[in-house]
PDB file of all heavy atoms in Angstrom:
ATOM      1  N   LEU A 253     -13.854 -16.332  11.928  1.00 97.00           N
ATOM      2  CA  LEU A 253     -12.434 -16.034  12.125  1.00 97.00           C
ATOM      3  C   LEU A 253     -11.560 -17.264  11.914  1.00 97.00           C
ATOM      4  O   LEU A 253     -10.374 -17.142  11.601  1.00 97.00           O
ATOM      5  CB  LEU A 253     -12.203 -15.462  13.522  1.00 97.00           C
ATOM      6  CG  LEU A 253     -12.700 -14.025  13.746  1.00 97.00           C
ATOM      7  CD1 LEU A 253     -12.599 -13.652  15.215  1.00 97.00           C
ATOM      8  CD2 LEU A 253     -11.916 -13.034  12.885  1.00 97.00           C
ATOM      9  N   SER A 254     -12.168 -18.444  12.057  1.00 96.00           N
ATOM     10  CA  SER A 254     -11.379 -19.665  11.909  1.00 96.00           C
ATOM     11  C   SER A 254     -11.567 -20.382  10.576  1.00 96.00           C
ATOM     12  O   SER A 254     -10.656 -21.052  10.100  1.00 96.00           O
ATOM     13  CB  SER A 254     -11.705 -20.637  13.053  1.00 96.00           C
ATOM     14  OG  SER A 254     -13.060 -21.048  12.991  1.00 96.00           O
ATOM     15  N   ASN A 255     -12.769 -20.221   9.946  1.00 97.00           N
ATOM     16  CA  ASN A 255     -12.987 -21.025   8.739  1.00 97.00           C
ATOM     17  C   ASN A 255     -13.620 -20.293   7.551  1.00 97.00           C
ATOM     18  O   ASN A 255     -13.917 -20.924   6.534  1.00 97.00           O
ATOM     19  CB  ASN A 255     -13.848 -22.250   9.074  1.00 97.00           C
ATOM     20  CG  ASN A 255     -15.270 -21.882   9.514  1.00 97.00           C
ATOM     21  OD1 ASN A 255     -15.717 -20.741   9.354  1.00 97.00           O
ATOM     22  ND2 ASN A 255     -15.991 -22.855  10.070  1.00 97.00           N
ATOM     23  N   ALA A 256     -13.823 -19.002   7.625  1.00 98.00           N
ATOM     24  CA  ALA A 256     -14.513 -18.292   6.542  1.00 98.00           C
ATOM     25  C   ALA A 256     -13.737 -18.329   5.231  1.00 98.00           C
ATOM     26  O   ALA A 256     -12.539 -18.034   5.200  1.00 98.00           O
ATOM     27  CB  ALA A 256     -14.782 -16.853   6.939  1.00 98.00           C
ATOM     28  N   ASP A 257     -14.428 -18.698   4.173  1.00 98.00           N
ATOM     29  CA  ASP A 257     -13.862 -18.607   2.823  1.00 98.00           C
ATOM     30  C   ASP A 257     -14.299 -17.322   2.137  1.00 98.00           C
ATOM     31  O   ASP A 257     -13.551 -16.736   1.350  1.00 98.00           O
ATOM     32  CB  ASP A 257     -14.324 -19.801   1.976  1.00 98.00           C
ATOM     33  CG  ASP A 257     -13.768 -21.108   2.472  1.00 98.00           C
ATOM     34  OD1 ASP A 257     -12.535 -21.293   2.407  1.00 98.00           O
ATOM     35  OD2 ASP A 257     -14.560 -21.959   2.947  1.00 98.00           O
ATOM     36  N   ILE A 258     -15.540 -16.905   2.432  1.00 98.00           N
ATOM     37  CA  ILE A 258     -16.137 -15.756   1.755  1.00 98.00           C
ATOM     38  C   ILE A 258     -16.902 -14.921   2.783  1.00 98.00           C
ATOM     39  O   ILE A 258     -17.574 -15.460   3.664  1.00 98.00           O
ATOM     40  CB  ILE A 258     -17.101 -16.209   0.642  1.00 98.00           C
ATOM     41  CG1 ILE A 258     -16.331 -16.930  -0.479  1.00 98.00           C
ATOM     42  CG2 ILE A 258     -17.878 -15.033   0.067  1.00 98.00           C
ATOM     43  CD1 ILE A 258     -17.236 -17.553  -1.535  1.00 98.00           C
ATOM     44  N   ILE A 259     -16.819 -13.602   2.641  1.00 98.00           N
ATOM     45  CA  ILE A 259     -17.604 -12.670   3.451  1.00 98.00           C
ATOM     46  C   ILE A 259     -18.386 -11.774   2.494  1.00 98.00           C
ATOM     47  O   ILE A 259     -17.839 -11.293   1.502  1.00 98.00           O
ATOM     48  CB  ILE A 259     -16.707 -11.783   4.352  1.00 98.00           C
ATOM     49  CG1 ILE A 259     -15.849 -12.633   5.288  1.00 98.00           C
ATOM     50  CG2 ILE A 259     -17.552 -10.789   5.133  1.00 98.00           C
ATOM     51  CD1 ILE A 259     -16.619 -13.336   6.383  1.00 98.00           C
ATOM     52  N   PHE A 260     -19.664 -11.550   2.791  1.00 98.00           N
ATOM     53  CA  PHE A 260     -20.454 -10.629   1.966  1.00 98.00           C
ATOM     54  C   PHE A 260     -21.062  -9.549   2.853  1.00 98.00           C
ATOM     55  O   PHE A 260     -21.123  -9.677   4.078  1.00 98.00           O
ATOM     56  CB  PHE A 260     -21.545 -11.377   1.183  1.00 98.00           C
ATOM     57  CG  PHE A 260     -22.569 -12.087   2.032  1.00 98.00           C
ATOM     58  CD1 PHE A 260     -23.714 -11.426   2.478  1.00 98.00           C
ATOM     59  CD2 PHE A 260     -22.415 -13.425   2.364  1.00 98.00           C
ATOM     60  CE1 PHE A 260     -24.658 -12.079   3.255  1.00 98.00           C
ATOM     61  CE2 PHE A 260     -23.359 -14.098   3.134  1.00 98.00           C
ATOM     62  CZ  PHE A 260     -24.489 -13.416   3.591  1.00 98.00           C
ATOM     63  N   GLY A 261     -21.501  -8.473   2.219  1.00 97.00           N
ATOM     64  CA  GLY A 261     -22.115  -7.361   2.947  1.00 97.00           C
ATOM     65  C   GLY A 261     -23.480  -7.034   2.391  1.00 97.00           C
ATOM     66  O   GLY A 261     -23.817  -7.401   1.262  1.00 97.00           O
ATOM     67  N   GLY A 262     -24.282  -6.326   3.190  1.00 95.00           N
ATOM     68  CA  GLY A 262     -25.596  -5.885   2.744  1.00 95.00           C
ATOM     69  C   GLY A 262     -25.556  -4.518   2.104  1.00 95.00           C
ATOM     70  O   GLY A 262     -26.568  -4.015   1.610  1.00 95.00           O
ATOM     71  N   ALA A 263     -24.394  -3.899   2.112  1.00 95.00           N
ATOM     72  CA  ALA A 263     -24.136  -2.607   1.467  1.00 95.00           C
ATOM     73  C   ALA A 263     -22.622  -2.457   1.408  1.00 95.00           C
ATOM     74  O   ALA A 263     -21.897  -3.103   2.171  1.00 95.00           O
ATOM     75  CB  ALA A 263     -24.762  -1.461   2.263  1.00 95.00           C
ATOM     76  N   GLU A 264     -22.137  -1.608   0.526  1.00 96.00           N
ATOM     77  CA  GLU A 264     -20.693  -1.455   0.382  1.00 96.00           C
ATOM     78  C   GLU A 264     -20.048  -1.010   1.694  1.00 96.00           C
ATOM     79  O   GLU A 264     -18.982  -1.495   2.069  1.00 96.00           O
ATOM     80  CB  GLU A 264     -20.373  -0.457  -0.737  1.00 96.00           C
ATOM     81  CG  GLU A 264     -20.624  -0.994  -2.143  1.00 96.00           C
ATOM     82  CD  GLU A 264     -19.624  -2.078  -2.545  1.00 96.00           C
ATOM     83  OE1 GLU A 264     -18.545  -2.162  -1.922  1.00 96.00           O
ATOM     84  OE2 GLU A 264     -19.923  -2.837  -3.471  1.00 96.00           O
ATOM     85  N   TYR A 265     -20.700  -0.092   2.400  1.00 94.00           N
ATOM     86  CA  TYR A 265     -20.084   0.397   3.627  1.00 94.00           C
ATOM     87  C   TYR A 265     -19.977  -0.701   4.678  1.00 94.00           C
ATOM     88  O   TYR A 265     -19.086  -0.667   5.535  1.00 94.00           O
ATOM     89  CB  TYR A 265     -20.856   1.604   4.188  1.00 94.00           C
ATOM     90  CG  TYR A 265     -22.100   1.264   4.977  1.00 94.00           C
ATOM     91  CD1 TYR A 265     -22.009   0.896   6.324  1.00 94.00           C
ATOM     92  CD2 TYR A 265     -23.360   1.335   4.396  1.00 94.00           C
ATOM     93  CE1 TYR A 265     -23.149   0.598   7.062  1.00 94.00           C
ATOM     94  CE2 TYR A 265     -24.486   1.036   5.122  1.00 94.00           C
ATOM     95  CZ  TYR A 265     -24.385   0.678   6.464  1.00 94.00           C
ATOM     96  OH  TYR A 265     -25.510   0.379   7.182  1.00 94.00           O
ATOM     97  N   MET A 266     -20.857  -1.704   4.621  1.00 95.00           N
ATOM     98  CA  MET A 266     -20.821  -2.782   5.602  1.00 95.00           C
ATOM     99  C   MET A 266     -19.580  -3.642   5.444  1.00 95.00           C
ATOM    100  O   MET A 266     -18.923  -3.992   6.424  1.00 95.00           O
ATOM    101  CB  MET A 266     -22.084  -3.648   5.491  1.00 95.00           C
ATOM    102  CG  MET A 266     -23.350  -2.966   5.917  1.00 95.00           C
ATOM    103  SD  MET A 266     -24.770  -4.092   5.908  1.00 95.00           S
ATOM    104  CE  MET A 266     -24.407  -5.091   7.357  1.00 95.00           C
ATOM    105  N   LEU A 267     -19.226  -3.978   4.206  1.00 97.00           N
ATOM    106  CA  LEU A 267     -18.029  -4.790   3.994  1.00 97.00           C
ATOM    107  C   LEU A 267     -16.770  -3.987   4.289  1.00 97.00           C
ATOM    108  O   LEU A 267     -15.786  -4.516   4.812  1.00 97.00           O
ATOM    109  CB  LEU A 267     -17.997  -5.340   2.571  1.00 97.00           C
ATOM    110  CG  LEU A 267     -16.943  -6.419   2.311  1.00 97.00           C
ATOM    111  CD1 LEU A 267     -17.149  -7.622   3.238  1.00 97.00           C
ATOM    112  CD2 LEU A 267     -16.968  -6.877   0.856  1.00 97.00           C
ATOM    113  N   THR A 268     -16.810  -2.697   3.982  1.00 97.00           N
ATOM    114  CA  THR A 268     -15.672  -1.835   4.312  1.00 97.00           C
ATOM    115  C   THR A 268     -15.483  -1.763   5.825  1.00 97.00           C
ATOM    116  O   THR A 268     -14.357  -1.868   6.327  1.00 97.00           O
ATOM    117  CB  THR A 268     -15.887  -0.425   3.740  1.00 97.00           C
ATOM    118  OG1 THR A 268     -15.959  -0.499   2.308  1.00 97.00           O
ATOM    119  CG2 THR A 268     -14.747   0.504   4.140  1.00 97.00           C
ATOM    120  N   SER A 269     -16.576  -1.599   6.553  1.00 96.00           N
ATOM    121  CA  SER A 269     -16.499  -1.549   8.012  1.00 96.00           C
ATOM    122  C   SER A 269     -15.971  -2.862   8.573  1.00 96.00           C
ATOM    123  O   SER A 269     -15.171  -2.877   9.517  1.00 96.00           O
ATOM    124  CB  SER A 269     -17.882  -1.248   8.609  1.00 96.00           C
ATOM    125  OG  SER A 269     -18.324   0.037   8.234  1.00 96.00           O
ATOM    126  N   PHE A 270     -16.415  -3.984   7.982  1.00 97.00           N
ATOM    127  CA  PHE A 270     -15.941  -5.287   8.429  1.00 97.00           C
ATOM    128  C   PHE A 270     -14.438  -5.405   8.219  1.00 97.00           C
ATOM    129  O   PHE A 270     -13.706  -5.889   9.093  1.00 97.00           O
ATOM    130  CB  PHE A 270     -16.668  -6.391   7.664  1.00 97.00           C
ATOM    131  CG  PHE A 270     -16.283  -7.779   8.094  1.00 97.00           C
ATOM    132  CD1 PHE A 270     -16.965  -8.430   9.110  1.00 97.00           C
ATOM    133  CD2 PHE A 270     -15.215  -8.441   7.483  1.00 97.00           C
ATOM    134  CE1 PHE A 270     -16.595  -9.705   9.518  1.00 97.00           C
ATOM    135  CE2 PHE A 270     -14.842  -9.719   7.885  1.00 97.00           C
ATOM    136  CZ  PHE A 270     -15.541 -10.349   8.906  1.00 97.00           C
ATOM    137  N   ALA A 271     -13.971  -4.963   7.055  1.00 98.00           N
ATOM    138  CA  ALA A 271     -12.537  -5.052   6.745  1.00 98.00           C
ATOM    139  C   ALA A 271     -11.709  -4.188   7.696  1.00 98.00           C
ATOM    140  O   ALA A 271     -10.606  -4.574   8.101  1.00 98.00           O
ATOM    141  CB  ALA A 271     -12.297  -4.629   5.298  1.00 98.00           C
ATOM    142  N   LEU A 272     -12.238  -3.035   8.067  1.00 98.00           N
ATOM    143  CA  LEU A 272     -11.525  -2.164   9.004  1.00 98.00           C
ATOM    144  C   LEU A 272     -11.508  -2.760  10.407  1.00 98.00           C
ATOM    145  O   LEU A 272     -10.520  -2.610  11.139  1.00 98.00           O
ATOM    146  CB  LEU A 272     -12.188  -0.783   9.030  1.00 98.00           C
ATOM    147  CG  LEU A 272     -12.052   0.064   7.763  1.00 98.00           C
ATOM    148  CD1 LEU A 272     -12.927   1.307   7.859  1.00 98.00           C
ATOM    149  CD2 LEU A 272     -10.593   0.444   7.524  1.00 98.00           C
ATOM    150  N   LYS A 273     -12.578  -3.427  10.761  1.00 97.00           N
ATOM    151  CA  LYS A 273     -12.695  -4.025  12.093  1.00 97.00           C
ATOM    152  C   LYS A 273     -11.824  -5.270  12.223  1.00 97.00           C
ATOM    153  O   LYS A 273     -11.342  -5.594  13.313  1.00 97.00           O
ATOM    154  CB  LYS A 273     -14.159  -4.366  12.371  1.00 97.00           C
ATOM    155  CG  LYS A 273     -14.452  -4.833  13.771  1.00 97.00           C
ATOM    156  CD  LYS A 273     -15.942  -5.060  13.956  1.00 97.00           C
ATOM    157  CE  LYS A 273     -16.277  -5.536  15.353  1.00 97.00           C
ATOM    158  NZ  LYS A 273     -17.749  -5.774  15.505  1.00 97.00           N
ATOM    159  N   HIS A 274     -11.636  -5.971  11.088  1.00 98.00           N
ATOM    160  CA  HIS A 274     -10.854  -7.215  11.095  1.00 98.00           C
ATOM    161  C   HIS A 274      -9.749  -7.112  10.041  1.00 98.00           C
ATOM    162  O   HIS A 274      -9.802  -7.767   8.989  1.00 98.00           O
ATOM    163  CB  HIS A 274     -11.765  -8.408  10.805  1.00 98.00           C
ATOM    164  CG  HIS A 274     -12.935  -8.517  11.732  1.00 98.00           C
ATOM    165  ND1 HIS A 274     -12.826  -8.957  13.028  1.00 98.00           N
ATOM    166  CD2 HIS A 274     -14.249  -8.207  11.545  1.00 98.00           C
ATOM    167  CE1 HIS A 274     -14.012  -8.940  13.604  1.00 98.00           C
ATOM    168  NE2 HIS A 274     -14.891  -8.488  12.741  1.00 98.00           N
ATOM    169  N   PRO A 275      -8.760  -6.294  10.280  1.00 98.00           N
ATOM    170  CA  PRO A 275      -7.707  -6.058   9.279  1.00 98.00           C
ATOM    171  C   PRO A 275      -6.989  -7.339   8.881  1.00 98.00           C
ATOM    172  O   PRO A 275      -6.678  -8.184   9.713  1.00 98.00           O
ATOM    173  CB  PRO A 275      -6.756  -5.084   9.994  1.00 98.00           C
ATOM    174  CG  PRO A 275      -7.059  -5.237  11.450  1.00 98.00           C
ATOM    175  CD  PRO A 275      -8.510  -5.558  11.535  1.00 98.00           C
ATOM    176  N   GLY A 276      -6.769  -7.460   7.571  1.00 97.00           N
ATOM    177  CA  GLY A 276      -6.055  -8.609   7.041  1.00 97.00           C
ATOM    178  C   GLY A 276      -6.915  -9.824   6.775  1.00 97.00           C
ATOM    179  O   GLY A 276      -6.436 -10.797   6.192  1.00 97.00           O
ATOM    180  N   MET A 277      -8.185  -9.766   7.158  1.00 98.00           N
ATOM    181  CA  MET A 277      -9.019 -10.951   6.970  1.00 98.00           C
ATOM    182  C   MET A 277      -9.504 -11.096   5.527  1.00 98.00           C
ATOM    183  O   MET A 277      -9.566 -12.194   4.982  1.00 98.00           O
ATOM    184  CB  MET A 277     -10.220 -10.909   7.909  1.00 98.00           C
ATOM    185  CG  MET A 277     -11.068 -12.176   7.868  1.00 98.00           C
ATOM    186  SD  MET A 277     -12.305 -12.191   9.178  1.00 98.00           S
ATOM    187  CE  MET A 277     -13.145 -13.748   8.806  1.00 98.00           C
ATOM    188  N   ILE A 278      -9.833  -9.981   4.903  1.00 98.00           N
ATOM    189  CA  ILE A 278     -10.368 -10.012   3.541  1.00 98.00           C
ATOM    190  C   ILE A 278      -9.267  -9.710   2.530  1.00 98.00           C
ATOM    191  O   ILE A 278      -8.452  -8.802   2.727  1.00 98.00           O
ATOM    192  CB  ILE A 278     -11.517  -8.982   3.389  1.00 98.00           C
ATOM    193  CG1 ILE A 278     -12.751  -9.455   4.154  1.00 98.00           C
ATOM    194  CG2 ILE A 278     -11.856  -8.740   1.929  1.00 98.00           C
ATOM    195  CD1 ILE A 278     -13.895  -8.469   4.121  1.00 98.00           C
ATOM    196  N   ASP A 279      -9.268 -10.468   1.447  1.00 98.00           N
ATOM    197  CA  ASP A 279      -8.363 -10.203   0.335  1.00 98.00           C
ATOM    198  C   ASP A 279      -9.029  -9.140  -0.539  1.00 98.00           C
ATOM    199  O   ASP A 279      -9.929  -9.438  -1.326  1.00 98.00           O
ATOM    200  CB  ASP A 279      -8.131 -11.487  -0.463  1.00 98.00           C
ATOM    201  CG  ASP A 279      -7.188 -11.286  -1.648  1.00 98.00           C
ATOM    202  OD1 ASP A 279      -6.822 -10.129  -1.939  1.00 98.00           O
ATOM    203  OD2 ASP A 279      -6.845 -12.291  -2.295  1.00 98.00           O
TER     204      ASP A 279
END
């Protein structure tokens, strides 16, 4: 939350879930 440059997922739904859980974090 403080220093991430890149986030990856182990499946498409995982990154989507992450984006929904942390709105605005992923471009």
